[in-house]
Amino acid sequence: MALLNILRYPDPRLHKVAKPVAAVDARIRELIGDMLETMYDAEGIGLAATQVDVHERVIVIDTSEKRDQPLVLINPELVWRSDARVLGEEGCLSVPQIYDKVERHAAVTVAALDRAGQRFEREVEGLTAVCVQHEMDHLVGKVFVEYLSPLKRDRVRAKMLKRAREEQQERQKV
Ligand code: K2U
Ligand code: ZN
């Protein structure tokens, strides 16, 4: 298993559209293991392959209290969306320390392949539903800050670029 590098906004690779997984093989299962390790290490509750610069349709999620119930979604598709919507505070491992409100469907049904390549459907609500929608946005190159106003989005972009410059200067000092 390995910890993977998480791309930081506004890295242009975060806007690439992921391709469907052609075969659920050993390579994909290793990627899923590494994504889960990376998500738990970063204290996230979800991670999309796009965020680790792999542009295939793979998502891992774990919203359980004990962090021991991973949900693996390969080639996920939403097959139902509730009319009811929720406005929730979102964050993103690719946009650290930035949180803001985003409106999502309150519940969704997602169809996907599991690690054995078997198709399944799962209806989710609450934080899991929000996370599924957030991660599926990543797979089409969308980051949650794009739901914010242009002013807020520009401020986030400037803050992230400043932080990246400062981190680069720190690395050059050592
Ligand atoms: O895509 C990611 O970077 C993972 C997000 C998943 C998430 C998105 C929206 C709302 C909640 C979670 C990260 O887990 S953000 C960090 C975090 C962790 C717990 C609760 C909220 C945010
Ligand atoms: Zn995210």
Side-chain angles (χ1 to χ4, degrees):
M1 302 260 257
L3 286 179
L4 305 174
N5 176 56
I6 298 176
L7 299 178
R8 293 283 179 85
Y9 185 83
D11 190 310
R13 291 170 290 181
L14 285 169
H15 301 297
K16 292 176 73 170
V17 176
K19 293 184 170 59
V21 169
V24 181
D25 55 14
R27 176 184 68 88
I28 292 295
R29 281 189 280 272
E30 182 172 0
L31 168 66
I32 288 165
D34 292 347
M35 286 176 64
L36 284 167
E37 184 180 359
T38 303
M39 178 189 74
Y40 289 126
D41 178 74
E43 297 181 358
I45 59 174
L47 188 68
T50 306
Q51 293 177 273
V52 292
D53 200 17
V54 174
H55 302 286
E56 296 180 73
R57 290 181 64 78
V58 180
I59 289 170
V60 295
I61 289 173
D62 191 340
T63 54
S64 66
E65 282 292 315
K66 293 183 179 173
R67 314 282 283 148
D68 60 353
Q69 291 174 43
L71 173 61
V72 173
L73 303 171
I74 302 168
N75 293 344
E77 298 298 336
L78 293 187
V79 297
W80 174 76
R81 300 165 176 82
S82 66
D83 292 336
R85 293 172 185 266
V86 289
L87 184 64
E89 186 96 339
E90 297 198 11
C92 183
L93 297 176
S94 294
V95 197
Q97 298 159 30
I98 302 290
Y99 298 91
D100 213 320
K101 293 201 179 303
V102 177
E103 187 177 278
R104 300 284 187 182
H105 295 282
V108 295
T109 299
V110 59
L113 303 179
D114 62 18
R115 278 186 264 202
Q118 292 303 305
R119 187 182 185 281
F120 70 98
E121 291 192 4
R122 175 81 60 88
E123 182 179 331
V124 293
E125 60 184 15
L127 185 56
T128 309
V130 167
C131 196
V132 165
Q133 294 169 82
H134 177 108
E135 303 310 334
M136 289 191 67
D137 273 353
H138 275 302
L139 296 183
V140 293
K142 190 162 186 173
V143 182
F144 88 99
V145 295
E146 294 168 48
Y147 291 99
L148 309 184
S149 67
L151 178 63
K152 276 189 174 181
R153 194 166 57 231
D154 290 348
R155 282 181 177 159
V156 168
R157 182 185 181 86
K159 182 179 279 190
M160 294 300 294
L161 289 172
K162 179 172 181 287
R163 208 181 285 169
R165 279 196 306 275
E166 288 166 351
E167 287 171 1
Q168 179 65 17
Q169 285 163 359
E170 278 305 305
R171 279 195 294 272
Q172 284 167 349
K173 278 182 188 168
V174 175

